[in-house]
Amino acid sequence: QTDEVFLEAQIQNITTSPMFMEKVSLEPSMMYNVAELNTVDRAGERESTFGSRTYLQPMDTRQYLYCLKPKQEFAEKAGVIKGVTVIGKLDIVWKTNLGERGRLQTSQLQRMAPGYGDVRLSLETIPDTVNLEEPFDITCKITNCSERTMDLVLEMCNTNSIHWCGVSGRQLGKLHPSSSLHLALTLLSSVQGLQSVSGLRLTDTFLKRTYEYDDIAQVCVISSEVKQN
C-alpha cells in the first residue's frame, strides 16, 4: 500500500565456535533512506532486540529487519520509484573467539518492482473507530503511474454496509504522468463491526477504461451509545 520496502535478513553462524557480531547494517541505494528495526525503547534508551549479548552461538540464527523509504525527491515521482529494483547491500562484520575478524558485503539486493497499474489509489487518512450511521471523512491520494495524461471521473458505489455521501460521477479533471491529487471523501456505515471501505471507481474518459478499488481499508464501526458509556 506504500512505497516502503521491508527487508528481513537471516544470518546464521555455520562455524563450530561462537562469533561476536560487530556490525550488521544495510547500505541503501541512492533513492532510499533506511531505518534499522532491530532495537526497542526501554526506559528512554535504545536497546538491541538481541539483548546485551552480541555473540552468535554455533548454528544459531538471527533475523535483522530494515525499513527503506524513498527519498522525498523520488517519492513524489511515482513512475521513477515504480521501476526501482535495487535497494542496497548488507555489510556484516564479525570476530571469532580467537579475535580473527571477518567481513561479508553482499552484492546489490533486488526487489520485485510493484505492479501499481496505470492508476494508483492509496489511503492517506481514515479514523480507526467511527459511530454507526454517522458520517466520517477519509482522504485518498490518486497517482497517475502511466506515461500518458488521463481525464478522470470518480464514481462512488454503495455496498451493503458502506454508503458514500456526495455526488457520484464527479469530474476530477486531467492528471498528468507521475502527478497526484488528493480527495477528501465522506461516507457512513449502516452496519456495526469491522467494515471494509469499498466501491470507488475511476474512469479515464480518454481510453474509456475503468479502474475498480475495493477493500481499500477497514474501519471499526460502533454504536454511539457504546462510545458514550
Side-chain angles (χ1 to χ4, degrees):
Q1 298 297 321
T2 70
D3 290 319
E4 294 178 350
V5 178
F6 288 89
L7 172 69
E8 180 184 359
Q10 294 186 348
I11 298 177
Q12 184 179 28
N13 177 7
I14 58 174
T15 70
T16 57
S17 59
M19 62 172 54
F20 173 76
M21 302 304 296
E22 188 171 300
K23 182 179 76 168
V24 180
S25 62
L26 177 64
E27 298 178 4
S29 62
M30 62 174 291
M31 291 190 176
Y32 286 97
N33 292 317
V34 63
E36 295 192 15
L37 304 179
N38 306 306
T39 59
V40 292
D41 191 355
R42 290 185 178 174
E45 295 184 2
R46 303 302 296 178
E47 182 179 311
S48 172
T49 54
F50 308 113
S52 57
R53 289 187 172 186
T54 54
Y55 286 95
L56 194 58
Q57 299 298 326
M59 304 311 296
D60 278 359
T61 302
R62 283 184 181 175
Q63 294 172 299
Y64 292 83
L65 183 63
Y66 302 89
C67 176
L68 297 113
K69 295 183 180 180
K71 294 180 180 177
Q72 189 64 34
E73 58 267 32
F74 300 114
E76 296 174 350
K77 300 177 181 179
V80 174
I81 205 66
K82 175 184 176 182
V84 175
T85 58
V86 175
I87 58 176
K89 52 189 177 181
L90 277 172
D91 190 19
I92 308 167
V93 181
W94 69 89
K95 287 182 181 178
T96 67
N97 57 349
L98 297 178
E100 296 177 345
R101 194 175 188 186
R103 182 178 183 183
L104 172 65
Q105 191 173 66
T106 68
S107 56
Q108 288 287 349
L109 303 174
Q110 305 284 324
R111 66 153 185 169
M112 292 182 62
Y116 294 148
D118 291 341
V119 185
R120 180 186 180 192
L121 186 144
S122 57
L123 197 66
E124 297 287 288
T125 61
I126 184 172
D128 293 327
T129 304
V130 300
N131 288 337
L132 181 68
E133 297 181 343
E134 289 187 12
F136 62 94
D137 297 325
I138 65 172
T139 305
C140 296
K141 180 180 179 181
I142 298 173
T143 305
N144 182 354
C145 297
S146 72
E147 297 179 354
R148 56 184 174 79
T149 299
M150 295 182 174
D151 187 26
L152 297 176
V153 175
L154 172 69
E155 294 182 41
M156 301 178 292
C157 305
N158 294 333
T159 66
N160 291 333
S161 58
I162 292 295
H163 307 272
W164 296 92
C165 305
V167 179
S168 185
R170 178 164 38 133
Q171 295 277 349
L172 301 182
K174 292 182 175 61
L175 190 62
H176 298 290
S178 299
S179 297
S180 301
L181 60 88
H182 288 80
L183 280 177
L185 302 172
T186 303
L187 55 161
L188 62 83
S189 176
S190 58
V191 179
Q192 294 186 55
L194 194 62
Q195 302 300 327
S196 175
V197 176
S198 302
L200 284 182
R201 306 289 183 262
L202 291 172
T203 300
D204 178 15
T205 59
F206 288 153
L207 294 184
K208 306 299 182 184
R209 186 177 298 171
T210 299
Y211 306 90
E212 300 182 357
Y213 301 93
D214 294 313
D215 295 322
I216 303 168
Q218 291 184 321
V219 62
C220 182
V221 183
I222 63 173
S223 169
S224 57
E225 297 178 358
V226 172
K227 189 171 183 180
Q228 290 172 0
N229 293 336

